[in-house]
Amino acid sequence: MTTQPLRTERSGPQTASAMTDLPFKPPLVKAVFRDVTSLHVSRSAAWAAASVTRTVLTEIIEGARSAAAEENRKRLIPQDLISAIDRNIEAEVGSAWYLHSPTFHGLMGEVHNADGALVSLRERRGARTPSGVAGSHRFEAGVRRLLGSRGVRALPAMVRDLDGIASVFLTALAQDAAKVVREGGVKRFGTVSLVVPGEPDPAPLLKDPLLALSTRRGDGRTVGGDDVLAAVTMQLFGDLRQRAITEAAEMMRNTSAN
């Protein structure tokens, strides 16, 4: 997909009630973790992962809503999803879903093997359906609640795509959080930077305060909230990453206080 200059819609400060009214509940989050790891998932980890998934989906929905508004439409369609991702590279998550959604057919480009032969879409998908794709239906209720909270409606095809993106993203987040536990910390970071012509380059990654998450404490049998935050540094970048971490950390503080 062609990436255009970054343009995002920012949601306002979240109230305490919004922080506790998550569209994706901890039992669903734990079910996704069980699909990819046998590690125990702590309460704080479940809340953090649910918060991060909400933040990511909200960013995508806001971008799609802006695209629909430009055409004076009140209902979101799959084309709005493509527009949202094209305008904001930070929102391009859950890419494993793209191979399975008709919305993205023809937009993924061609892939050739070592002999130069075209690799078919069926071959690129693989023989096994990823668990995130297979379990996407579980996210429909949460996606509809999130759409309602943002004051928008969407066609069934758009809801299906949001289900899939949420499921695939959370599955990847769970896999990386489990990897943080197994490896004792973060061994790799997303390093994509957005550079505006004429402006100074971003600070080097080594100055990034998120590197404080590169080592972990705790046992090797439990995924904790900090492990999820560390996994976010591997899945997201830019302002979306910072916002996701901030909101998840606040969620963890609120739930621990209760």
Side-chain angles (χ1 to χ4, degrees):
M1 288 175 286
T2 302
T3 301
Q4 299 179 1
L6 178 66
R7 186 176 75 184
T8 59
E9 294 285 338
R10 301 300 183 205
S11 57
Q14 294 181 320
T15 64
S17 61
M19 292 300 292
T20 57
D21 186 23
L22 289 173
F24 310 111
K25 303 300 183 183
L28 172 58
V29 172
K30 290 189 175 184
V32 172
F33 271 80
R34 284 196 298 270
D35 288 341
V36 300
T37 181
S38 59
L39 295 172
H40 173 70
V41 180
S42 71
R43 181 169 177 263
S44 64
W47 283 107
S51 174
V52 170
T53 306
R54 176 185 60 182
T55 301
V56 169
L57 265 289
T58 298
E59 182 82 355
I60 294 172
I61 290 171
E62 286 298 313
R65 182 166 68 170
S66 295
E70 291 175 2
E71 298 183 4
N72 296 316
R73 282 187 288 99
K74 296 183 178 180
R75 181 172 291 188
L76 305 185
I77 63 175
Q79 183 58 45
D80 297 328
L81 173 60
I82 294 173
S83 297
I85 295 173
D86 277 350
R87 296 174 180 185
N88 182 3
I89 191 174
E90 293 178 16
E92 191 169 329
V93 299
S95 56
W97 172 255
Y98 303 164
L99 292 173
H100 296 265
S101 169
T103 298
F104 297 91
H105 287 183
L107 300 177
M108 301 297 291
E110 295 182 350
V111 174
H112 297 263
N113 61 24
D115 298 324
L118 182 65
V119 179
S120 69
L121 181 59
R122 182 183 296 273
E123 292 175 301
R124 292 170 66 183
R125 286 175 175 170
R128 178 180 173 276
T129 301
S131 62
V133 173
S136 62
H137 63 281
R138 298 177 292 183
F139 286 76
E140 182 175 351
V143 165
R144 291 190 180 279
R145 282 196 297 271
L146 186 55
L147 287 166
S149 73
R150 310 309 294 180
V152 294
R153 296 180 298 164
L155 292 181
M158 176 68 169
V159 174
R160 177 205 62 212
D161 280 330
L162 292 173
D163 295 347
I165 290 173
S167 181
V168 168
F169 169 76
L170 182 54
T171 298
L173 188 69
Q175 290 171 333
D176 279 345
K179 185 173 183 178
V180 169
V181 175
R182 291 194 305 269
E183 297 185 352
V186 177
K187 303 303 180 185
R188 60 185 174 87
F189 283 82
T191 58
V192 179
S193 298
L194 298 178
V195 178
V196 178
E199 294 188 5
D201 291 343
L205 181 62
L206 290 177
K207 296 182 180 180
D208 192 336
L210 295 177
L211 286 177
L213 295 169
S214 61
T215 57
R216 74 180 299 270
R217 298 174 181 176
D219 65 65
R221 301 180 301 276
T222 301
V223 178
D226 286 343
D227 298 321
V228 172
L229 299 187
V232 173
T233 68
M234 300 155 68
Q235 287 290 321
L236 303 175
F237 68 96
D239 291 341
L240 179 57
R241 178 172 73 176
Q242 185 58 60
R243 191 161 64 257
I245 289 176
T246 299
E247 293 178 2
E250 182 179 349
M251 173 67 71
M252 291 162 56
R253 286 194 297 270
N254 289 345
T255 54
S256 63
N258 295 330

